[in-house]
Amino acid sequence: MENVANDGLWAPAGITPAQTGTEPNAGGLAAHLGSLDDLGGLLAREKALVFRGFGVQPGELDEVMDLLLPNRLAYVHGNSPRTKVGSNVYTSTEYPAEYSISMHNEMSYAHQWPARLLFYCETAPHTGGATPVIDGTRWLGCLDDEVREAFAGGVRYSQNLHGGMGLGKSWQDTFETAERGRVEEFLGASGADWKWQPDGSLRVTQLRPATVTHPVTGDEVWFNQADQWHPASLGDDTAKALASIMPAEELPQSVSFADGSPIPDAYVLQIRDRGLDNAVDVDWRRGDLLLIDNVLVGHGRRPFTGPRRVLVAMSD
């Protein structure tokens, strides 16, 4: 296996038909995966794997996913705009092509998060559109001591989920159900606080840590989405526009320190910018797959031109 980057930084390990001695097709990849004794151990060591040159077609994806993701999960309580396109298979975050998506670990704001993420390139963009990935230990280490110490007590996430019309996602889309009882059962098990509002919307508040320790490697990693939930990350003009029409507590999502005190703009901008600056880009070709350990590795998206369709699935 070879690292995708060659500048001395950590990078995902690349796996090709030539390296595995298999045919350059989905069957060859499936044969290689079936021969592995411990895919989980390999992923924990390498943190991320890029399967390139196997030419996996959309109709062949399920066979490969079943080997890479033993228990595919639904995107329940996910906050990103996505479209479900198969059996617990989704489009990657649907966000305007001209913008970057900052680094994050999937659903790090939730009480449970997927252990693995699998990305599949169905259509490669004309330019750009790489998926940047970052070693979570590097992300933690590149932040100022002041920032790390400020987040030591954790963070408080707040969501306002409308009931069918409004800004952001509805609670029905977020929890993939229209039954309030199922939502309450899920939230009760997660330790979240919630309140149904008179207009049919739902407010959810959760306290979560800012860092976690990987259960296999013991590495402490940066593991929160404070920068993505903070209005400062939207840019000055957008943040000012939102502030002019609604208070922070009414935004679709917001974040504070665990005690409710505000997080300074400068902190979240440092987290966002240093995450992107220290990431390694995985450029896409049709049929590529990227498997990441969702605790050890954060991911994002670079701007692009042309059509880009990258699908994502996750497992525990």
Side-chain angles (χ1 to χ4, degrees), residues 17 25-26 30 34 37 41 45-46 55-56 70 103 114 123 154-155 200 203-204 207 211 225 243 265 268 279 288 299:
N25 52 40
D37 293 329
R45 290 193 304 273
E46 299 292 346
V56 177
M103 309 308 295
T123 304
V155 293
R203 181 168 176 81
V204 180
L207 298 178
T211 67
Q225 286 174 240
D265 291 2
V268 298
D288 285 355
H299 66 281

Side-chain angles (χ1 to χ4, degrees), residues 1 10-13 15 36 38-49 51 68 115-117 135-137 213-219 221 291-297:
M1 290 182 289
W10 167 85
I15 300 174
L36 295 176
D38 185 11
L39 176 61
L42 175 63
L43 185 60
R45 290 193 304 273
E46 299 292 346
K47 305 183 181 182
L49 306 169
F51 301 95
L68 292 170
R116 299 180 187 179
L117 298 183
D135 181 338
T137 59
T213 300
H214 191 272
V216 175
T217 68
D219 292 334
V221 298
L291 181 68
I292 69 173
D293 184 305
N294 185 47
V295 174
L296 293 174
V297 174

Side-chain angles (χ1 to χ4, degrees), residues 2-16:
E2 297 180 357
N3 283 350
V4 172
N6 58 10
D7 56 5
L9 296 177
W10 167 85
I15 300 174
T16 67

Side-chain angles (χ1 to χ4, degrees), residues 114-146:
R116 299 180 187 179
L117 298 183
L118 179 68
F119 299 89
Y120 165 72
C121 181
E122 182 176 323
T123 304
H126 293 164
T127 64
T131 294
V133 290
I134 186 170
D135 181 338
T137 59
R138 182 179 180 87
W139 196 3
L140 176 62
C142 76
L143 300 175
D144 291 352
D145 291 344
E146 177 184 352

Side-chain angles (χ1 to χ4, degrees), residues 109-262:
Y109 53 84
H111 79 293
Q112 287 185 321
W113 47 80
R116 299 180 187 179
L117 298 183
L118 179 68
F119 299 89
Y120 165 72
C121 181
E122 182 176 323
T123 304
H126 293 164
T127 64
T131 294
V133 290
I134 186 170
D135 181 338
T137 59
R138 182 179 180 87
W139 196 3
L140 176 62
C142 76
L143 300 175
D144 291 352
D145 291 344
E146 177 184 352
V147 173
R148 291 196 298 268
E149 291 166 4
F151 277 85
V155 293
R156 180 189 299 267
Y157 298 102
S158 297
Q159 290 173 286
N160 291 303
L161 305 170
H162 63 77
M165 294 185 63
L167 187 62
K169 292 184 72 175
S170 70
W171 61 264
Q172 294 95 330
D173 286 341
T174 298
F175 296 99
E176 294 192 0
T177 181
E179 298 180 22
R180 289 193 177 195
R182 292 181 62 187
V183 174
E184 292 174 356
E185 182 180 0
F186 179 92
L187 292 174
S190 74
D193 293 323
W194 74 92
K195 182 179 180 181
W196 295 103
Q197 308 287 24
D199 63 358
S201 64
L202 174 66
R203 181 168 176 81
V204 180
T205 303
Q206 306 174 86
L207 298 178
R208 299 289 178 243
T211 67
V212 297
T213 300
H214 191 272
V216 175
T217 68
D219 292 334
E220 183 185 10
V221 298
W222 188 251
F223 196 79
N224 66 81
Q225 286 174 240
D227 63 308
Q228 290 194 329
W229 287 54
H230 196 287
S233 66
L234 299 172
D236 291 344
D237 291 342
T238 304
K240 289 176 181 177
L242 282 174
S244 70
I245 60 174
M246 63 176 59
E249 62 270 17
E250 294 181 11
L251 292 172
Q253 58 188 39
S254 59
V255 65
S256 67
F257 288 124
D259 63 2
S261 60

